[in-house]
Amino acid sequence: MFVSDRRASPAVAPPRGRERPRIEARADASILHADLDSFYASVEQRDDPRLRGKPVIVGGGVVLAASYEAKAFGVRTPMNGAQARRLCPHAIVVPPRMSAYSEASKAVFEVFRDTTPVVEGISIDEAFLDVGGLRRIAGEPLDIAQRLRARVRDEVGLPISVGIARTKFLAKVASAVAKPDGLRLVPPSAELDFLHPLPVERMWGVGDVTARTLHEHGITRIGQLADLGENALRGFLGPAAARHLYALSMARDPRRVETGRRRRSIGAQRALGRRARPADEIEAYVHGLTDRLGRRLRTADRVCRTVVLRMRFDDFSRATRSRTLAEATDHTDTLLRTARQLLADAMPMIEERGLTLIGLALTNLDDAYAVQLTLPLEPRATNTLDTTLDDLRRRFGSAAVTRAALINRGEGLSVPLLPD
């Protein structure tokens, strides 16, 4: 049995200032990672029989999803639509239907929660499920996973891949290896045999930059990383990344499947294509993104402290700019004022490098009721412009009221999310 790199401590509250005791990893493979295959494209193929078995691309300017038939030609998300059509000229391009994807997600999560009460949603198309306590009433985890896949296929009409392992990390890797429409069990006795031959890109925390660094040092497989050891990794990855990646390479991941977790951040973005956009048009899109995120904050009774501007440029490089506010807020004007200042500061870079995507994220979230109140000591006034606009949009749709700057430009796609 593998455990965390520190010996597990008794479950008592640690003295103030000391490290929390680490949670001991379980001994059996009873964590499921369930991941719908090419979710948007699968919903389109389910709803239109003419698309089944055909290469399908969801989204025009930017690829939001691609069927496995299209992926076979190299189409990936979020690839530029023109590039995707060059790779797969006979692909069928369909517009996204966000409401259909949201309904399909709700139906799948009903199956998840009917399988086990311990469900941790990651996104609208994937979740972790803990089935360790269901043996007496539902059988072994492998049997539960097989029934889960059959129910999603029969009741919702969608393919789903499931990984089963002792840890969340291994379960997620197993589901990715099982794709498309597969099932993979990683027994505790075979964890390293399964994990070590895989490329380092399979590991959480290994993006393009880290992968490039590892490759430069001759490390392409997880087993090579494990053989090198944590001390050697520190020299070119730093202590935190070295500790994290070495632990994963040895199948150490004591995190539990948690229910009721709230988001740490929310975000929205808008693809712009490669055509040059004037500054006022970009600013209009930032207005729209701010309105959308402010509405989501208030609906979830959250407030935020940090506003993050995200940019992708014509050479596919990315950059972010952020600002932390003095007080947490859900006030749209405050958020917009901060976002506009970030955009103004970044505008010289945008003009020089060209902008293909603009995004906004709100981080350092907290519950609205946890914030210290100011006079007149009301948690949230009910007669403000924000609440009036929220009510109108809730009753008549998100496009019922829009900013003048967005007329003829639209608010862009709103991607469905799990409830917060």
Side-chain angles (χ1 to χ4, degrees):
M1 177 177 67
F2 296 102
V3 296
S4 59
D5 50 3
R6 291 178 182 264
R7 188 178 300 275
S9 303
V12 296
R16 185 179 299 274
R18 292 191 184 178
E19 183 181 2
R20 290 171 59 91
R22 293 177 180 263
I23 303 168
E24 185 175 356
R26 63 185 60 210
D28 59 332
S30 55
I31 293 177
L32 276 56
H33 180 259
D35 193 1
L36 291 159
D37 299 323
S38 296
F39 179 44
Y40 291 1
S42 293
V43 173
E44 297 298 337
Q45 290 178 319
R46 178 197 67 179
D47 294 347
D48 187 348
R50 296 172 299 177
L51 300 178
R52 295 172 190 170
K54 306 285 182 63
V56 175
I57 295 174
V58 179
V62 174
V63 176
L64 299 178
S67 68
Y68 278 92
E69 294 84 357
K71 288 180 179 179
F73 290 85
V75 178
R76 296 290 184 269
T77 58
M79 183 178 285
N80 177 273
Q83 180 185 0
R85 288 188 289 274
R86 284 194 297 270
L87 291 172
C88 187
H90 59 293
I92 303 171
V93 181
V94 298
R97 299 180 301 132
M98 295 305 177
S99 59
Y101 312 146
S102 180
E103 289 303 314
S105 172
K106 291 176 184 176
V108 171
F109 269 81
E110 286 180 7
V111 176
F112 290 166
R113 296 188 182 99
D114 195 41
T115 300
T116 174
V118 188
V119 177
E120 180 183 339
I122 306 302
S123 66
I124 66 166
D125 59 350
E126 64 175 317
F128 289 108
L129 296 83
D130 189 334
V131 299
L134 300 180
R135 280 185 171 83
R136 291 189 177 182
I137 60 173
E140 293 297 316
L142 181 60
D143 301 326
I144 295 171
Q146 289 171 337
R147 291 196 299 270
L148 171 69
R149 294 184 64 240
R151 286 191 60 187
V152 172
R153 171 69 76 177
D154 295 341
E155 298 176 22
V156 191
L158 296 175
I160 190 167
S161 296
V162 178
I164 314 168
R166 187 181 56 91
T167 68
K168 292 168 75 172
F169 166 64
L170 279 176
K172 185 172 176 66
V173 174
S175 70
V177 170
K179 285 181 174 293
D181 196 15
L183 174 65
R184 182 66 181 263
L185 167 66
V186 182
S189 61
E191 287 179 340
L192 298 187
D193 291 337
F194 163 76
L195 186 61
H196 282 182
L198 297 176
V200 292
E201 287 82 0
R202 291 284 191 187
M203 302 180 73
W204 281 344
V206 176
D208 293 339
V209 175
T210 303
R212 186 162 54 249
T213 301
L214 291 171
H215 289 178
E216 289 171 354
H217 288 80
I219 302 171
T220 59
R221 302 289 170 182
I222 296 176
Q224 293 173 304
L225 189 150
D227 291 340
L228 193 59
E230 180 180 339
N231 289 336
L233 291 170
R234 287 178 179 173
F236 54 89
L237 292 180
R243 182 170 58 252
H244 167 73
L245 294 180
Y246 180 70
L248 292 185
S249 75
M250 297 303 294
R252 297 170 184 161
D253 178 19
R255 292 169 302 162
R256 295 170 175 164
V257 178
E258 299 183 44
T259 60
R261 294 183 64 184
R262 306 203 76 181
R263 292 190 185 92
R264 298 176 182 176
S265 66
I266 60 174
Q269 62 187 29
R270 178 153 184 165
L272 305 178
R274 307 190 75 171
R275 177 172 63 85
R277 308 276 180 163
D280 62 334
E281 182 176 350
I282 296 173
E283 183 173 332
Y285 294 141
V286 169
H287 287 201
L289 295 173
T290 306
D291 283 341
R292 185 185 304 174
L293 293 179
R295 197 157 65 240
R296 282 174 53 191
L297 267 186
R298 293 184 292 274
T299 299
D301 283 327
R302 309 295 296 279
V303 289
C304 87
R305 281 283 306 278
T306 304
V307 180
V308 183
L309 180 71
R310 303 186 185 278
M311 297 164 285
R312 187 180 70 206
F313 302 107
D314 196 49
D315 59 0
F316 298 103
S317 63
R318 297 172 181 267
T320 62
R321 297 291 183 269
S322 65
R323 180 161 298 175
T324 298
L325 306 172
E327 295 180 352
T329 185
D330 61 6
H331 187 217
T332 297
D333 276 353
T334 302
L335 300 175
L336 179 59
R337 191 161 53 247
T338 306
R340 290 179 65 185
Q341 185 59 58
L342 291 171
L343 179 63
D345 294 343
M347 194 56 71
M349 187 191 325
I350 292 173
E351 292 173 349
E352 177 184 348
R353 300 168 63 180
L355 190 68
T356 60
L357 181 142
I358 186 78
L360 208 63
L362 306 180
T363 66
N364 284 340
L365 300 187
D366 204 347
D367 296 327
Y369 61 79
V371 176
Q372 182 173 346
L373 303 181
T374 57
L375 293 174
L377 300 181
E378 294 180 5
R380 181 182 289 134
T382 59
N383 60 346
T384 65
L385 178 61
D386 282 343
T387 55
T388 301
L389 293 176
D390 288 348
D391 185 54
L392 287 172
R393 287 164 172 150
R394 187 166 45 249
R395 292 172 60 189
F396 302 111
S398 60
V401 181
T402 189
R403 292 181 180 268
L406 289 171
I407 293 176
N408 298 324
R409 290 170 174 158
E411 291 192 345
L413 291 174
S414 182
V415 177
L417 299 166
L418 288 175
D420 186 25

